[in-house]
Amino acid sequence: MTIDISQLPIIDDHCHPFMPTREKRDFDNCFTLSLIPPKSIDTRNTLLFKMVRKEMISLLQLDPAITDDELIRHRNERYRSNPKAYVDMLFKDIGLESLLVDYGFPVMGSRLSADELDWFHQTSSSVPTRRIHRVEATYHRLFEERVGFEELEELYISELRDEVEHQGAIAFKTVIAYHTGLKMNKISRSQATASYSKFLDTPDDLAAEKDVRDYLVLLAFELCMEYDIPIQMHSGAGDAPMLDVKLSSPLLMHDIVSDPHYQAVKIIFIHTAYPFVEEAGYLVNQYHNVYLDLSSMIPFSSIGVQPKLRQIFEMAPFTKVMYGSDGFNIPEVSWLGGRIIKKELGKFLNDLVEDQLISEDYAYTAAGLVLSENARNLYLRNWDRRTNG
């Protein structure tokens, strides 16, 4: 008996737009989270790239003896000659049902242009894309404009409301972990006002900056409760060296997740908080409003995926964990993640059946929950809205 979940549909709970204009590196060097340019000789000798190679040879029906250079050249020709057909093939291969897209990518640098977004939406149109709004995309612009505090607060809240009411956002997201960390504090409005003035005068005043960011993100929490939408929290690993991973452990959120007021907010720790995987699974078990997505850990932890799934589900319910890829810049990240989650989750569930911990029927139920059903059950508002249709 083998649990085969290859035909089940997938919802990618967290990813970013892809497009050739953002593919600044050679294909082999796109499979890294680091902003520091890697060396191809090193990248091609990672187990992750060996997995990329194996799966692409299978998909494209290529000679297993093909060289890395020939494989990359073949991929580039296929993708660039007919991007939509190539992307449609990738999506069909993994049974992709929808992409839930954070449009605030990248964390720093130039934002996506209208032409880039049009290209992405046309190329990805075989499946619905749904909108996640990154709150920093709103308040960073207001910081740059140096608006007064009252105007900052008013415009910030107004734009977040517009995102939900008119732009079709199904969730908010924050990357506060990148800036001042996840140890957030409740900040009074008067304290936020004073700290904002200090921050404008002295941008390197980290204490003042932290007060303002904490205040604004917790304002977004209030709107999440009002509109009954989740908020995705970046946690764990990210773009080195920009992110100090020590500040991105979900355990730092203790004061907020333990506050009865915020237990009405559906908080999703994305990226499995990798490498804080067991900690994240513990929090999902302990707090009814805390969820976890698997993006970034899948596919970037390569052969570590199955051991990490075991760590997560030591305590986490199958009803509170969702598949995601953190795909960005190239379409193959989302595709590879889909292939990996089906293989590794299937193996994990098969082991549980063989150990007589779960039934075969429940194995398929659990797989369906993680791959798509949990996302459908969590992102309720604006689910009928798509950004590429």
Side-chain angles (χ1 to χ4, degrees):
M1 184 275 301
T2 301
I3 300 299
D4 180 6
I5 60 175
S6 61
Q7 299 306 306
L8 293 182
I10 284 180
I11 292 174
D12 190 336
D13 159 80
H14 180 79
C15 61
H16 308 275
F18 56 82
M19 57 211 56
T21 53
R22 297 288 168 147
E23 193 174 329
K24 303 295 187 183
R25 299 173 174 177
D26 292 337
F27 176 74
D28 51 354
N29 288 328
C30 290
F31 292 91
T32 176
L33 296 174
S34 178
L35 297 177
I36 303 169
K39 297 178 181 179
S40 286
I41 190 172
D42 296 328
T43 304
R44 295 184 187 191
N45 283 281
T46 62
L47 289 176
L48 178 59
F49 186 75
K50 299 301 184 186
M51 294 173 76
V52 173
R53 174 186 167 85
K54 174 187 174 184
E55 299 299 339
M56 292 201 71
I57 287 172
S58 168
L59 174 71
L60 302 176
Q61 299 181 318
L62 300 174
D63 182 348
I66 192 171
T67 68
D68 291 341
D69 286 337
E70 290 170 339
L71 173 63
I72 292 170
R73 185 162 53 249
H74 183 86
R75 174 267 179 188
N76 290 343
E77 290 171 356
R78 289 283 296 268
Y79 183 31
R80 292 167 184 170
S81 64
N82 193 334
K84 178 157 178 42
Y86 183 77
V87 169
D88 287 351
M89 174 187 64
L90 298 180
F91 289 176
K92 183 179 179 180
D93 178 67
I94 61 171
L96 187 66
E97 183 178 293
S98 182
L99 294 170
L100 311 189
V101 182
D102 166 19
Y103 288 91
F105 181 82
V107 174
M108 304 293 284
S110 61
R111 294 296 180 217
L112 300 172
S113 69
D115 287 344
E116 286 178 317
L117 288 174
D118 285 345
W119 186 96
F120 168 67
H121 287 146
Q122 291 168 12
T123 306
S124 66
S125 61
S126 63
V127 303
T129 54
R130 294 179 165 93
R131 182 175 183 82
I132 296 169
H133 180 66
R134 185 184 297 196
V135 299
E136 284 80 9
T138 297
Y139 72 70
H140 280 180
R141 186 188 73 251
L142 299 173
F143 285 175
E144 292 168 3
E145 295 172 2
R146 299 180 63 82
V147 300
F149 182 81
E150 287 190 6
E151 188 176 5
L152 167 73
E153 187 179 49
E154 179 182 347
L155 291 176
Y156 175 66
I157 292 173
S158 176
E159 185 167 315
L160 295 195
R161 289 190 181 281
D162 181 70
E163 282 289 334
V164 178
E165 295 176 7
H166 301 112
Q167 306 305 318
I170 62 171
F172 292 146
K173 179 195 172 181
T174 177
V175 291
I176 194 172
Y178 271 91
H179 301 283
T180 50
L182 289 182
K183 189 170 177 54
M184 296 166 57
N185 302 311
K186 294 175 73 172
I187 304 296
S188 68
R189 189 173 187 276
S190 59
Q191 183 179 348
T193 303
S195 292
Y196 182 63
S197 179
K198 292 179 183 177
F199 175 53
L200 288 184
D201 290 341
T202 313
D204 59 356
D205 186 334
L206 294 181
E209 178 185 359
K210 184 178 185 312
D211 284 351
V212 177
R213 289 185 184 275
D214 287 357
Y215 179 77
L216 292 173
V217 170
L218 291 177
L219 277 184
F221 275 39
E222 298 295 331
L223 293 176
C224 285
M225 288 188 279
E226 179 181 336
Y227 289 114
D228 191 25
I229 62 171
I231 186 162
Q232 295 188 348
M233 307 284 300
H234 179 102
S235 58
D239 301 334
M242 187 185 302
L243 176 73
D244 183 348
V245 74
K246 299 189 301 298
L247 302 179
S248 65
S249 167
L251 295 181
L252 296 173
M253 289 275 293
H254 171 79
D255 290 348
I256 299 301
V257 299
S258 298
D259 189 321
H261 177 69
Y262 293 118
Q263 287 175 11
V265 183
K266 293 177 283 192
I267 299 170
I268 306 166
F269 288 117
I270 59 174
H271 312 325
T272 60
Y274 185 92
F276 309 106
V277 173
E278 285 181 290
E279 293 91 333
Y282 165 78
L283 291 174
V284 170
N285 175 282
Q286 296 292 297
Y287 296 94
H288 67 85
N289 61 314
V290 173
Y291 300 80
L292 192 65
D293 105 318
L294 302 174
S295 66
S296 206
M297 184 194 85
I298 299 175
F300 292 100
S301 66
S302 67
I303 62 169
V305 169
Q306 191 174 155
K308 295 299 186 293
L309 289 175
R310 287 184 171 274
Q311 290 178 336
I312 291 166
F313 289 113
E314 286 173 9
M315 296 189 73
F318 285 103
T319 47
K320 297 179 70 184
V321 177
M322 294 167 286
Y323 167 70
S325 71
D326 199 28
F328 59 97
N329 290 352
I330 60 172
E332 288 88 354
V333 175
S334 292
W335 164 77
L336 180 66
R339 279 209 163 192
I340 289 175
I341 185 59
K342 287 188 171 182
K343 289 184 177 183
E344 299 305 323
L345 181 61
K347 291 177 185 176
F348 169 58
L349 294 170
N350 195 74
D351 288 348
L352 297 181
V353 173
E354 290 186 349
D355 290 343
Q356 298 183 341
L357 288 175
I358 62 174
S359 68
E360 185 175 347
D361 285 346
Y362 186 75
Y364 286 102
T365 297
L369 288 169
V370 173
L371 294 180
S372 64
E373 289 299 324
N374 290 337
R376 263 192 290 271
N377 293 334
L378 189 62
Y379 300 98
L380 298 175
R381 188 172 184 119
N382 290 328
W383 188 255
D384 59 338
R385 300 279 300 275
R386 59 185 290 175
T387 53
N388 64 346

